[in-house]
Amino acid sequence: MNRKILFRGKLTSGRGWSYGNLNIRPNNITVITPFNGHIGVYGQVIPDTVGQYTGLNDTNGKEIFEGDIVHNKDVWGKYTGVIVFKNGRFMVDWHLLPGWTRESITCHTIGISPYDEVIGNSYDNPELLEKP
């Protein structure tokens, strides 16, 4: 099997995000270290912000990670969802438009379509998941 295993986490220093290998030290400090060819800032990250790369890219070619918020506009209208890992697979927890019988529904395994686009993440942009 040949797939990219990549993690990201928000740096405790407040200097943005770190991308690379996930390391949890014996003293429970979570660190992201460099990954083949990735250039950036590395160091201690906030454990709750760590997410794995899904192996998929959005309509613009952007890598999709756990915690990313995706926007979809198809024949049913506009809606947003957050990428989660449940039951052994990556999924989208869709936040549907008002008028639906449920406010949120977890859908099938993530299938990127020409309509899906990463618009933020649940750590930096939680307001994107709030009801209008």
Side-chain angles (χ1 to χ4, degrees):
M1 181 160 78
N2 187 15
R3 66 181 179 105
K4 187 195 283 187
I5 306 294
L6 178 65
F7 291 88
R8 75 167 179 201
K10 193 165 186 148
L11 291 160
T12 58
S13 66
R15 293 177 42 202
W17 290 85
S18 180
Y19 295 81
N21 296 310
L22 176 64
N23 297 283
I24 301 176
R25 305 243 168 108
N27 53 0
N28 285 328
I29 292 177
T30 305
V31 175
I32 301 284
T33 57
F35 180 76
N36 299 336
H38 272 72
I39 299 172
V41 181
Y42 303 100
Q44 185 175 350
V45 297
I46 303 165
D48 289 344
T49 66
V50 173
Q52 186 175 358
Y53 172 52
T54 63
L56 301 170
N57 296 358
D58 76 353
T59 189
N60 299 316
K62 184 174 181 171
E63 294 174 333
I64 301 175
F65 286 82
E66 285 177 86
D68 276 344
I69 297 171
V70 293
H71 173 78
N72 184 294
K73 182 181 178 187
D74 65 7
V75 296
W76 297 104
K78 296 180 184 180
Y79 47 100
T80 58
V82 63
I83 305 299
V84 296
F85 188 80
K86 281 186 181 175
N87 302 321
R89 60 186 176 181
F90 292 105
M91 305 172 86
V92 182
D93 183 12
W94 291 113
H95 294 253
L96 304 174
L97 289 171
W100 286 71
T101 57
R102 296 188 286 191
E103 294 178 12
S104 166
I105 184 172
T106 299
C107 294
H108 53 79
T109 304
I110 182 171
I112 301 303
S113 77
Y115 305 107
D116 294 332
E117 177 180 25
V118 173
I119 59 170
N121 65 68
S122 58
Y123 314 105
D124 292 333
N125 317 102
E127 71 281 358
L128 294 175
L129 294 172
E130 293 174 3
K131 292 193 293 187

